[in-house]
């Protein structure tokens, strides 16, 4: 696995903007796993009734499906997100 490090410009952008997008850091399999986790969490939250502590939905369904706008505290809610946060990349 290649080693990654941030450039000075990236660090400066993070300090100024509070976020940084690093393209292609995670591969297609990683993103599929995240997508599958989000779908599973959304389905479980909707089946459970009160999902307000788990996620926020888009106001209108997209292609007939309820779509999450935001997952609250994803790190605390699922190991997929913890794994990504601790990934050495």
């Amino acid at each position: 696995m290649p080693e990654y490090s941030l450039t000075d410009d990236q660090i400066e952008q993070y300090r100024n903007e509070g976020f940084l997008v690093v393209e292609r850091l995670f591969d297609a399999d990683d993103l599929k796993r995240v997508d599958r986790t989000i779908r599973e969490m959304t389905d479980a939250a909707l089946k459970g009734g009160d999902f307000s502590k788990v996620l926020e939905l888009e106001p209108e369904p997209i292609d007939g499906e309820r779509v999450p706008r935001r997952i609250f505290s994803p790190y605390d809610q699922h190991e997929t997100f913890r794994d990504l946060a601790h990934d050495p990349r």
Side-chain angles (χ1 to χ4, degrees), residues 15-43:
R15 287 182 178 149
N16 290 332
E17 304 293 327
F19 72 93
L20 175 68
V21 175
V22 179
E23 292 185 28
R24 296 184 198 96
L25 180 64
F26 297 112
D27 62 28
D29 289 336
D30 295 324
L31 299 179
K32 285 179 188 175
R33 184 169 44 112
V34 169
D35 189 53
R36 187 172 50 250
T37 298
I38 291 170
R39 176 53 36 209
E40 289 169 1
M41 289 178 69
T42 302
D43 292 346

Side-chain angles (χ1 to χ4, degrees), residues 60-71:
E60 299 294 325
I62 298 174
D63 295 331
E65 286 195 51
R66 299 304 312 260
V67 177
R69 173 182 285 182
R70 175 178 167 192
I71 295 176

